[in-house]
Every structure is written in C-alpha cells, then in structure tokens.
Amino acid sequence: MPLKHRRRPAFLTVAAVLVAGATAAFLPGSPATASVGPLPSVENFEGSVQLSNGNPGIFAFGADAAHTPALSVVAAPNVAGEGASNHALDMTYNVTGYGGFTQDLTAAQDWSHYGGFSFWVKGSGTGQRIEYEIKDGGSDGEHSELWQAFFTDSSTSWRQIQTPFSAFVRRSDFQPGGGPTDGNLDLVSMWGYAVNVPGNSQGELAFDDFAVYGTAAPKPPKVAASSGTYLVNAGDTAHVPVTLTTSDGQPSTSDASVAWQLTDGTAQAGTDYTAASGTLQFPAGTASGTSETIDVQTLPNSNPSAAKSLTVTLTPTGATLSGNSPQVVINAHGLPYLDSSLPISARVADLMSRMSLADKVGQMTQAERAAVGNGSDIATYRLGSLLSGGGSVPTPNTPTAWADMIDGYQRQALTTPLQIPMIYGIDSVHGDNNLAGATLFPHNVGMGATRDPSLAYEEGQIAATETRATGIPWAFSPCVCVTRDDRWGRAYESYSEDPALVQQMETVINGFQGNGHLDRNTSVLATAKHFLGDGGTKYGTGSNGYPIDQGITYVTPQQLNDLFVGPYKTAVADHVGSIMPSYSSLQILGQDASPIKMHARQDMITGLLKQKLGFQGFVISDYAAIDQISPDYKNDVKIGINAGLDMIMVPNQYVTFENDLTSLVNSGDVPMSRIDDAVRRILTQKFALGLFEHPFADRSNIGTIGSAAHRAVARQAAAESQVLLKNAHNVLPLNRSAKIYVAGSNADDTGNQSGGWTLTWQGQSGTIPGATSILAGMRQDAPNATITYSKDASAPTDGYKYGVVVVGEKPYAEGMGDIGNNGHTFQLSVADRNAVDTVCAAMKCAVLVVSGRPLDITGIVPEADAVVASWLPGSEGEGVADVLFGLRPFTGRLPVTWFKAESQIPINVGDKNYDPLFPYGWGLQTGSDHSQVARARNLAEQAINSPQAMSATASLIADAEHASISGQTAHAVDLLTRARSIALLVS
Ligand code: BGC
C-alpha cells in the first residue's frame, strides 16, 4: 500500500478459508457477449482466493466486530455450468448499522470496454434489498467513488444478476472520501466492488463469478473547462477555455455545442460582472483537444470587499460535461489584512475579526490530500491545511506535477470569501524525500555522526529549497528526538542518544526557515517533533500494535528535563514555526498516577511548551494521533484542543472533526479563547511565510532539485557521516588503482542506503531515481581500479588483495521497523554474514554496515580488518566511496552507543556499568583535526587496542564526548587523557 494507516472506518473480519487444489482460471458467469481485449479478472473464488484483513483483497466489514459478516469459500458445484469443482463465496450476516464484504483490487482496472457488471448469487429468499456497488477513481478501493445498484433476495437458487454500467447510481448515503466527486462513473480506473446488506438484518448469501461483460456503447466526446476555478481582480477579464476531447483521440464524428451562461453566486450581474451568455460550437471533425474561450468581464470596484464568485454554467449538447461548471472568483481587495505593509499581528487581528467559527475551525483542520478528492471540500470545509503522508504523491511524481497539484488545491482555498491560503505540509526528513529525483541526505543518525552543525544548516537550506520549489512551504522536520533504545524503528530519525548533540544539530531549523526569512522561496516552516520523550519509550509498551514505538516513557521530572526538554528549548530559541507532539505516552514518576498520551497533556503542551518555554508557533498533532486518546472521538477532540493542540492532522474524517469541534465550542466545552489562540498562531505563520502575497508555487528553483550543487553537499554529508570503528593495519583508505572485490546486500542498492521515508513511508529496496549506489560511487571515484561486484560473494575470490563488504538493513519506518516486529532483528542476514565470512577469509576486508541503528557485529569485528558504520547515507553513494579511497578523511564519530550484546539494550552514555562494543563518540580519524579534544581523543583511541582496554575506558570516552559537546572542554580532555593512561596500562 502506498499510504499508511488507511482503512475503511469499520471492523474487518476474515474467514481464513482457502480453497485447496482449485486451479480453474477465470470463467465468466454466462457465455460472454462480445468482449474487447482480455476480460479484467474480478473474482470467481477459485484458486488462490485472497481473503485479507484489509485493502487490497476480499474482506468483510461491519459497524462493529460482533456484527461483521463471516466469509468463507464453499463448494458450489455447477453454478453457471462450471463443473463439479466450482466454489463460491458464502457470507452469513447478522449486522446492526451496516455490513457486507468488498473486493479491493491491487491495481485499478480499465472496464471501459465493457457494458456492465455481473455476478451469480444464491439467496435465502428473505426479500431483503441487497445493494452492490462498484468503485471508480481515487487512490485505492477504500478511497474511490461508489456507484450502486441492488437486487432483491427473492430466490433460493442460483441466478445471474447483470447490470449495465449506465444503471449504477452514485451513492448518496455514503462516500468514503478521497475519491473523485465529479459524478462521472469513469470506468478507466476501477478499484473493485462491494456488497452491502441492509442495516439490522440477518441472512446468508452466496456469490460467484463477479465479472464485467458486454461491449461498451460508443462514447460521446467530453467537454471540460481546463481549471475549475479562475481568480481575477475586480475589473479584469477571466478567460475560461472549454476543451473538447474524444474518447479515442480522433476528430469528433458529430456536431457538439456548449451553451454557457454566467450565473450569480456571491457576485451579481450588473454589480460585479457583466451578464453574458452564448454558445460554443464544436462541429463534426473538430480535433480532439480543441478549445474555445469564454470571456467573463468583471467590473471595477474600489470598495473594500471579500472575494465573490459566479459560475459559468455549461450545458453541452452532443457531448458530456466532465467535471463541474467552472467558477470565476473576484479577488478580495482593500481589506487591511491584505495590506502587506501592516505588521503581521495587525493583519492577523483584522482577519480574525472577519472570520466565522466555521472559518476558524477550518484553519485548525489538516486533511490528507488523498482524502479530499478533487479538492472542492477545501472550500466547503474551509480546510486550513493539507498534507502528504509518506508516499502520498501525485502521478507522475515530478516537481511540476507536485506544484500543479498543490496550486490546484490552493486555488480551491482561494475561492472562499476571505481567501485564506491553505498551508501544505510534508515530511522532508532527509531532503524532499517523497519527490522522485530529490537530493537525499543521510538520515539524522548519520547527520549526528558528522558532528557538523553547519552541514545540518546546509541540509535544511537545500531540503527547504527543493521542497518549496514544488509549492510546499512546510516540513514536518526535524525530529529532535533523543533515541534511547536501538530497538526503536525511528532510531535513525534521531541525531543522537545525547540531547546535547541533538541540540547542536538543530542548526537545521535555521536552514529550513532561512534564519527567520520564511517568505523566501528557499525557506519552509520547520517542525520540531515529537514532543516529548518519543525516543524514551519502554520496550513492550508500544501502541498501535508496535513493540516500542508510540509506547510509554517513564521518567522522573529530572530525567525528563535532562534528556528530553533541551532540544525543545533550542527549537523555541530558534523560532521553530511548529511543533508536533508524540504519539507516545508519558508517565512522570512520582507525579502521574498512570501514563498519559502526549497529545492529551495540557501540562506539557500548554504549560511547559507554550507558557514556560515561550513557544510562539503552532502545535500540529500527529497523523490521527488524537484518535488514540480515548475510545470516543469527540472526547479526543475536546481533550486534545484543550491540551493546546492548534491544528489537527485529522487526516481523513475532517467532516466529523469539524462538526465535533464546532459543537464543543457551542456547548462551551472548548472555550472560544482556545480557538482564537490556535487560529492566531496558525495565521501568524501563514503571514510570515508570505502565503497571502504568494499563495502559489514559486517554481523558479525547480531546476535546483537534485542538482549537482545540491548533491555535492549531500555527498559531503554522506562522507562526513562515515564512522571508522576499526582500521587494523590502516587497511583504509584503499588505493584507487587496487583490485577490489565488492560484496554484500547494500553495496548496490540505493533504496536500502536511503532507508525509510524515501518515496514511500516505509521506503523500499531497489533503485531510487537519481541516486548513486556505494558501488557506483566507488567506480566513479576509482576509474583505474579493477572492481568486481558479487553480491553474495559467489564469484571467485582468488587474486584480490582487498574486499569491501557492504551489509546491513533494508528500509523501514516507525513502529513497523521496531526490533521484534515484522521479522526485524539486530542480526545480519545469513547472506550478508556469509559474504563477510567468504571475503574476509580470502583477503583484507572492510565491512560497511548500512543501517539505521547499531547491529550485532560483535562476531564480525574480529574477522574484519576495517569496520565502518555507514548509517543510511542517502542518495549520494560517492560520499561513502570518497572516504574509502581517502579523497576525504574519516571524521565521523558515533552518535549513539554501539552495543556489544543485545541484552545490554537500552545502553546509553552515562549508564552505570557501561561496557559497549564501541562507546558514544568513538570514531577513528584519518584527517587532521588539531583541536585539543581531538588530539586527546586520537591518542586515547590509538591506545585502545584490545577488548579489555575498550571495556576499561569506554565510559571515559563516552563521558568525554558528552562533556565536549556540552562545552566542558577541559573536563573532556581530562577524561580522554585518563582513558589513554588506563588503556596503556591494560594493553
Ligand atoms: C509520523 C510523523 C509524520 C506524520 C506525517 C506520522 O506517522 O509520526 O513523524 O510527520 O506521520 O506523515
């Protein structure tokens, strides 16, 4: 699934009955009438019937778990003459509110060459009206437009139901959101079907041979306005092109015309525009794609006014209308909040004085783009913000398609009377990572290893430039999490286990926000996340089905302050524009009786963050996170907003959210002062970003996306993030004309080296557009070397003096990547382990560990001559090659402790009995840093040349690192000097 957390709002159950041994191919239920092309396979319940517990697949749904139909595949000999081995799907039901089953296809199918939809059914003669529906458009079977027909359960024998597509009507009682709302059954993108039994009913039905049948009737051409919305200043003319397209792309075969008429909305003929009507002619033979233009003359008006709109009503003859009749919006003008010379606070105050409660509630609402269909809901529900969750991308995934998409949504927002621009947000967590071709930096754990705050600043600048060039002014980044447990699937989103290092790297915030110049086309609003204690949750307490992610952080007030508050002090001091609370819960020992979800904590969000730390930006809740506060959504809204959440990442049920919040305000359960505070904060950032002056994408920097200049910085970051853990006999750097044997699962996989949050939420193995693998980087850096690549080290190893084995993890994100979940472990794969054994036995070898967290390499270190922690270096594999070949020195240092045994986890700097494989701060240097601490550290590291010496000194090395980062240089040097003396004694 491309998107996350997506499901219909119902309980799903599955009867896990699979048909054994049935292999029949798809057979249409009746002798098929003439059909065109291969018949799209819907389902005949033979073979590997896919009963699943969610989209895609076949699953039952109901208002609650107890009243969800049971599905099973049963023998059904000779239905439609298919022979004795035929099977059918049986559904027994006893439902309350609603229930049924669906088949969501894995990919959309084109049914446009067929005439209708058919299936066989065996009823129980209940007389019930059974509705069935087909699903068009949208992103998947749970976000598409629903079209229904029905049959009556009047017979107990098998019979075929055939329904021409023209007989399906759009469901008026329920649409899931996220599908098109154009009212056209667009058969080219069909996502499946469903059967809905009536509310409060029981019975049993069996189904077989769902199929499409027949031949499509010839289609009339379509006419459409190229955009739904035209914005003009009063007195200007709007030019509205209307375009004719034929279904086969050939010239039209008959005459078509479009009568048009200007219809009053809030704009009135004679006052705001000149009344007009006419007819556009598209005679037979018109080329597909031909446009005719309607001119709408608006009237000058110097009186201050909110925006007003009118409709260009289109009535085609001999053609069908695609989309809605277009709207012309006469821009708001003359109002103080539109005056950019006024201070932001005055503009906000003026604007708020004009806003209704609905406008304000809308500003506090953020919806997922996939939930808003064609976007008209943005205006209807006054949505203040949209987001792309991980992997929620336009097709094609190009900068221009992003900008077009976002501008389209923005145009909808600007049809509202006050024309408050919506703000679009996205997770640019290591570059604009949802965008194909963007520059990808190392994930934060690698950035922490660089110890280079100026590079983090540059990363912020580049990520902001690439993100904003596509029209997105807001990043849900950086994670200022302090990771305290390597099992956490988000460990790589953290700069360090040491809050002092996290704070140092928060220069990225100024990079994102252009040092406060938010209105530049190279800036985005940053988000510090996830407030508070996200990296401190206890293993086994996770929620949402995860072992540790979203779990409970148990801390004393002192620990809370020492470990987790610092990064937010820094973020607030840097004027971060938004802060996102954590899904996790917090129990402050000695203070809280039980754990409390962070999204519900008024003491933390309002008390600590806003009042004590003085945070002036706005608080954006995490994705559907308020849903976890209690079993009652309205109560969640109340608790969350009263706790201090300013904007809610809903992301799908925004209508429910807005209704609930409105009713809570009307009942006094949420004070109006809280709403006003939230809206003031949100609007302040929108003004600061310059969105009122420039609501649409400034595309001038599209050319910099993935540019050589940007990639050069990411390459430098990849190089600086490499941590040399071991380097016996100075095997690294390698000679650039050597004969080198390269192996391992992550040597040539740009997907693996980029990690999660890359193109999709979870990331994926394989090729990332524009990225260079470590192997390719090595070949570029050393064109004179002889490089042999054998992933599994099966190629002969004779004759090679040097080997590089790149092992590690495959991508994951959030709790899906927790150790213990989905098969994630700290162990290398057998293939990687074998590759290390083979190569390291045959030649001098360097092992590179490409991973989001320390892995169990205790058994590997003695085998390998050199070991490098490569983290997740991002798109620029040459950066890794650069240090391997000595084109740049190794300067990286461990941002987290590297455990020796899994039983030690959690293990962190400052622990009692600290005995890691490599301490926090460890990293052999091949460059020349002459600072006092660096010299002392180098001397200490050189003296530590046995496991015993390491055990005896690890805590000194780690404490020295913390001291040095905290500005206690003399203390750091002292600790390192002691470490050296002890190491010399032990060795
Ligand atoms: C994550 C956030 C992210 C949000 C939007 C959530 O699942 O916890 O870090 O910003 O999704 O994609």
Side-chain angles (χ1 to χ4, degrees), residues 4-5 366 368 387-391 425-427 429 434 475-477 479 490 493 527 529-530 546 549-550 580-583 621-624 649 757 761 814:
K4 50 186 177 170
H5 316 315
Q366 184 184 58
E368 219 298 335
L387 87 146
S388 270
I426 200 158
D427 292 282
V429 298
N434 281 290
F476 307 133
S477 179
C479 192
R490 306 192 81 149
E493 292 188 59
T527 308
K529 68 187 189 185
H530 309 84
Y546 303 147
D549 192 34
Q550 310 189 2
M580 186 186 292
S582 177
Y583 281 115
S621 68
D622 205 345
Y623 199 100
M649 193 182 285
W757 295 106
W761 177 38
E814 297 192 43

Side-chain angles (χ1 to χ4, degrees), residues 799-825:
Y800 291 88
K801 220 164 143 198
Y802 297 103
V804 174
V805 192
V806 189
V807 299
E809 293 185 312
K810 290 191 171 61
Y812 52 80
E814 297 192 43
M816 308 283 270
D818 288 351
I819 295 289
N821 203 13
N822 297 319
H824 288 288
T825 74

Side-chain angles (χ1 to χ4, degrees), residues 529-578:
K529 68 187 189 185
H530 309 84
F531 181 80
L532 186 67
D534 51 353
T537 56
K538 186 176 157 72
Y539 193 83
T541 66
S543 47
N544 212 15
Y546 303 147
I548 180 167
D549 192 34
Q550 310 189 2
I552 304 168
T553 300
Y554 298 98
V555 274
T556 62
Q558 184 72 44
Q559 286 167 331
L560 184 67
N561 192 59
D562 293 351
L563 287 175
F564 300 115
V565 176
Y568 291 92
K569 284 190 184 148
T570 304
V572 170
D574 288 341
H575 306 289
V576 73
S578 62

Side-chain angles (χ1 to χ4, degrees), residues 236-294:
D236 289 352
T237 303
H239 305 288
V240 180
V242 175
T243 307
L244 178 110
T245 33
T246 58
S247 56
D248 56 4
Q250 297 302 309
S252 60
T253 52
S254 56
D255 291 348
S257 62
V258 182
W260 62 271
Q261 187 178 3
L262 305 186
T263 315
D264 279 1
T266 44
Q268 295 192 340
T271 312
D272 302 302
Y273 68 93
T274 308
S277 60
T279 305
L280 307 177
Q281 300 291 350
F282 296 95
T286 299
S288 184
T290 301
S291 298
E292 296 287 334
T293 300
I294 299 168

Side-chain angles (χ1 to χ4, degrees), residues 908-930:
N908 293 294
V909 52
D911 284 359
K912 284 197 198 106
N913 308 321
Y914 185 72
D915 184 18
L917 190 62
F918 297 103
Y920 169 59
W922 182 263
L924 305 171
Q925 311 286 298
T926 59
S928 46
D929 176 349
H930 297 300

Side-chain angles (χ1 to χ4, degrees), residues 124-140:
S124 19
T126 59
Q128 291 167 7
R129 174 186 159 106
I130 310 294
E131 290 170 347
Y132 49 98
E133 69 198 22
I134 55 176
K135 308 176 171 195
D136 102 86
S139 53
D140 62 24

